[in-house]
Amino acid sequence: MRHTKNQSPPKFTDSELLCSYLFSLAYERKTRVKDAYEYIKHHWADCFPELPSYQAYNARLNRLASALPHLVAHLAARYSFACTKGRASFLLTDSMPIITCSGKRAGKVARELCDKGYNSTKKMHYFGVKLHGLGFSRSGALPVIESMQIGPASEHDLQAQRQLLEQYAHFPIFGDKAFNDSELELICQDQGGELMCPVKYKRGQPQQDRQRHKAADDLYSKAVSKIRQPIESFFNWLIEHTDIQRASQVRSLSGLIVHIFGRIAAALILITQLN
């Protein structure tokens, strides 16, 4: 927290604030800020004697929101460095919704970023954002996360990640059907990589042509989906341990950033220790 020359530094430091919050999230699964605060207050008061009121704690946490994506990037780099053993040389990508409210209502929270989208897996309209993840596959374990980013719910997965994927085009990249794109495929080939996605038939493609290649296409699509399974498992693990997908309690853009990247940071802290 910044302070002027006429102000003394806060007795309860930013480091203590983030430490207490992320500890509660990672190890006690206190997914609400108030629950995390109450846990620290009642069980770790000796370690944090200058713990402020809940209102001040929450306000300062929101003011630190912009630091959390940088912390996630740092933790992801540490995780990547620690998990070189068994890491494959190909990338997996996937996305999932972060829901602030159902699509039946007009969302009013963090409209600078949130909008209405549709999730085909859950077959539902929702208001919120999408979380996009990119990571290296690892034998018998969750993937090594390279990047986590958010974008509007309405933005197509490929469009949201195109610039990032072009930076990794020298690697084989496995995505879902949404990533079928001839331009990106050519970029990958030019750089020595390859883009692999389940087969998506083109609109207007003759039915006879589809039937002719169906057996081979189904086999290829099944193989790609199986290889992509670890990134889906990572998102499921993230949901299970942090309840990241439900953001209905968020009331501001800063609160949404804290909700998302605080949970990712806590998950990376925990998963690094598990490995």
Side-chain angles (χ1 to χ4, degrees):
M1 179 181 290
R2 295 181 180 178
H3 53 88
T4 67
K5 293 181 179 179
N6 296 327
Q7 293 177 321
S8 60
K11 293 181 179 179
F12 186 71
T13 66
D14 291 346
S15 297
E16 289 178 302
L17 176 65
L18 289 176
C19 176
S20 61
Y21 177 61
L22 295 177
F23 175 83
S24 300
L25 258 175
Y27 298 104
E28 298 298 329
R29 299 193 187 184
K30 303 298 182 183
T31 55
R32 296 198 318 159
V33 176
K34 189 171 183 62
D35 292 339
Y37 174 84
E38 292 295 333
Y39 173 76
I40 293 299
K41 180 180 178 180
H42 293 296
H43 297 278
W44 295 90
D46 291 345
C47 295
F48 301 100
E50 303 297 338
L51 185 71
S53 67
Y54 166 68
Q55 289 73 18
Y57 186 93
N58 187 48
R60 284 183 57 188
L61 189 58
N62 283 337
R63 286 199 289 272
L64 286 173
S66 61
L68 286 171
H70 297 287
L71 177 60
V72 166
H74 173 72
L75 291 171
R78 286 187 60 187
Y79 177 43
S80 179
F81 180 77
C83 296
T84 54
K85 185 178 180 180
R87 185 169 68 181
S89 59
F90 55 86
L91 285 156
L92 315 173
T93 184
D94 200 15
S95 303
M96 77 171 184
I98 305 293
I99 304 166
T100 58
C101 71
S102 72
K104 296 179 181 178
R105 297 189 289 125
K108 299 179 180 180
V109 174
R111 295 187 69 93
E112 308 96 315
L113 182 61
C114 297
D115 65 4
K116 190 174 182 178
Y118 180 75
N119 181 259
S120 57
T121 303
K122 295 180 177 292
K123 294 181 172 56
M124 60 171 281
H125 291 278
Y126 69 98
F127 196 88
V129 298
K130 282 182 183 177
L131 175 64
H132 306 279
L134 183 69
F136 282 100
S137 182
R138 192 156 59 102
S139 178
L142 295 175
V144 180
I145 299 302
E146 283 290 300
S147 172
M148 300 291 281
Q149 61 186 48
I150 56 174
S154 63
E155 188 174 22
H156 192 276
D157 291 354
L158 175 60
Q159 189 59 36
Q161 296 193 66
R162 180 182 289 277
Q163 187 174 1
L164 180 65
L165 293 176
E166 288 178 358
Q167 295 174 18
Y168 286 90
H170 52 293
F171 288 104
I173 300 172
F174 289 80
D176 61 20
K177 285 185 178 182
F179 292 88
N180 273 292
D181 181 76
S182 56
E183 182 180 343
L184 181 59
E185 188 174 355
L186 286 173
I187 292 173
C188 290
Q189 290 175 359
D190 287 344
Q191 296 191 32
E194 189 174 0
L195 179 64
M196 285 165 278
C197 311
V199 175
K200 183 178 181 180
Y201 294 117
K202 297 178 181 179
R203 185 175 296 180
Q205 185 174 352
Q207 187 65 29
Q208 185 178 3
D209 187 46
R210 295 187 184 188
Q211 289 298 326
R212 184 182 301 117
H213 301 286
K214 187 177 187 305
D217 289 344
D218 288 350
L219 188 63
Y220 175 80
S221 297
K222 186 176 181 180
V224 171
S225 297
K226 185 175 182 179
I227 292 171
R228 283 188 62 254
Q229 186 63 43
I231 191 72
E232 295 177 356
S233 297
F234 173 79
F235 276 123
N236 290 333
W237 184 88
L238 187 59
I239 292 169
E240 180 184 348
H241 284 76
T242 70
D243 200 24
I244 192 173
Q245 203 163 38
R246 295 194 299 175
S248 59
Q249 300 297 318
V250 169
R251 294 293 177 264
S252 66
L253 179 59
S254 294
L256 181 62
I257 300 300
V258 170
H259 173 93
I260 296 172
F261 287 97
R263 281 159 170 72
I264 297 172
L268 288 173
I269 290 170
L270 183 58
I271 201 173
T272 300
Q273 296 203 354
L274 291 176
N275 287 272

